[in-house]
Amino acid sequence: MPSPRRPLISGNWKMHHNHFEAIQTVQKLSYRLTNDDYEAVDVSVHPPFTDIRSIQTLLQSENIPIALGAQHCHFEEKGAFTGEVAPSMLAKLDVTYVIAGHSERREVFGEDDEMVNKKVRAILKAEMTPILCVGETLDERDAGGTDDKVSGQVRAGLAGVKKEQVAGLVIAYEPIWAIGTGRTATPDDAQTTCAVVRATVADAFGADAAAAVRIQYGGSVKPGNAGDLMAQPDIDGALVGGASLDADEFARIVQWRMGD
Ligand code: 13P
C-alpha cells in the first residue's frame, strides 16, 4: 500500500549563508526543481534568522513553492529574553516549519526535554509545524540504549500535545554520531529506529496519529544515499545539513526518485 505521507525534504543551513548567499542558493534551487518535484515532495529551507525576511520575499515574489522554515525559537510569546525570537514573530514571516530540539541546541545550548516540549507546544499554538529532533549519542548507541533514548525523547517532546496535532507534525531521527561526520546510519538501522519512533507515537497517541506523523532521517544525507534511505517504509523525508548548503546537491536529494 502506498504511504499516505507526503515526503518532506528539509535543508537546515545551521549558521551558514548570510542573506545574500541565502537568496542566491534559493534562486539556484528554484531553477533546478520542477513542478514534478513540487508535486511529489514538500521542500523546506531553514536559513538563519537574519535571512528569513529576504527569503520570504523571494519565495512570494517569484511564486516558488518551497516552504520557509526556522531552526529554533523561544517558547514564550514576549518578554525579557535577550537574543531570542518568539514563535509568533516567525509565523508573521510566513514560516511553516520550526525545528525544535536539534541535537546541537540540546548539546551546545543546554536545551532539555522540558524546554523542547514547551517549544513544540508554542510552535503549534502559533499555527506552525514543529520538526521535533531526537537521536542518540555514539556512547548511548554502543551501550544498546538507542531505542530507550529515542522513545523517551519522543514521549517527552510531545507531552501534552493533542493526538490530532501529533498527526500533523514532523519528527526527525538524527543519530548524533552521524551529524556532520560523513557517517550515515545504514538504511536498515535508520529504518529500525524510525520504526521505534512510530511505535512510540502509536503507543502514546494511537494508530491514526502514528500512521500520519512524518518521520525524517537526518545525519550525512547526500545525493548518493538519499534514495536508499527514502525507500524505507518508516522514513518519510530527510533533514539535511551540509549537503543543503549547495543548491545542486540539495536538488539532487529532493530528486532522489530519479536515482543519482
Ligand atoms: P548533516 O547533513 O551535515 O550531517 O547535518 C544533519 C543535521 O543536523 C540536519 O539538521
Side-chain angles (χ1 to χ4, degrees):
M1 201 178 78
S3 164
R5 303 176 291 271
R6 262 178 78 76
L8 170 64
I9 307 288
S10 303
N12 172 15
W13 292 353
K14 309 189 181 185
M15 201 169 70
H16 296 283
H17 286 346
N18 62 39
H19 69 290
F20 293 116
E21 294 162 333
I23 289 170
Q24 261 193 344
T25 304
V26 171
Q27 263 166 343
K28 276 195 204 156
L29 186 60
S30 73
Y31 301 146
R32 288 288 317 268
L33 298 181
T34 65
N35 284 339
D36 283 354
D37 294 326
Y38 297 126
E39 265 169 40
V41 185
D42 290 338
V43 181
S44 67
V45 290
H46 300 246
F49 285 139
T50 50
D51 305 355
I52 285 184
R53 175 67 174 149
S54 306
I55 299 303
Q56 178 206 20
T57 306
L58 172 66
L59 296 176
Q60 287 178 354
S61 63
E62 301 197 9
N63 283 321
I64 301 170
I66 293 174
L68 185 52
Q71 301 175 15
H72 157 70
C73 67
H74 199 268
F75 45 82
E76 296 287 355
E77 268 307 300
K78 58 176 72 160
F81 302 105
T82 301
E84 289 294 330
V85 169
S88 58
M89 297 171 182
L90 297 174
K92 268 272 185 264
L93 290 161
D94 297 320
V95 165
T96 302
Y97 299 98
V98 187
I99 298 171
H102 191 281
S103 61
E104 288 150 17
R105 300 290 323 172
R106 293 179 191 259
E107 296 213 321
V108 185
F109 300 100
E111 290 187 12
D112 59 19
D113 278 337
E114 195 187 327
M115 288 167 76
V116 173
N117 176 245
K118 284 185 184 169
K119 283 173 204 244
V120 166
R121 289 192 286 165
I123 294 162
L124 286 166
K125 194 168 166 214
E127 299 185 348
M128 298 178 291
T129 300
I131 299 180
L132 167 66
C133 294
V134 300
E136 82 286 6
T137 63
L138 192 55
D139 284 351
E140 287 163 345
R141 182 179 193 80
D142 289 345
T146 300
D147 293 4
D148 282 352
K149 171 76 181 290
V150 164
S151 59
Q153 284 180 323
V154 170
R155 284 179 198 280
L158 299 180
V161 177
K162 295 194 185 82
K163 63 179 168 194
E164 309 79 62
Q165 292 177 310
V166 172
L169 56 72
V170 182
I171 301 174
Y173 166 56
E174 297 205 300
I176 294 169
W177 48 271
I179 295 178
T181 59
R183 290 183 58 185
T184 322
T186 63
D188 280 353
D189 279 351
Q191 161 58 28
T192 301
T193 309
C194 288
V196 169
V197 170
R198 200 174 302 284
T200 306
V201 173
D203 188 50
F205 298 96
D208 289 352
V213 71
R214 290 191 287 181
I215 302 176
Q216 295 179 312
Y217 168 80
S220 298
V221 176
K222 307 285 177 211
N225 60 23
D228 288 342
L229 290 160
M230 290 300 294
Q232 303 303 315
D234 284 303
I235 298 182
D236 308 313
L239 184 53
V240 185
S244 71
L245 295 173
D246 180 89
D248 280 337
E249 257 199 293
F250 190 50
R252 282 161 60 206
I253 293 173
V254 173
Q255 295 168 336
W256 87 89
R257 305 172 317 288
M258 300 177 208
D260 195 71

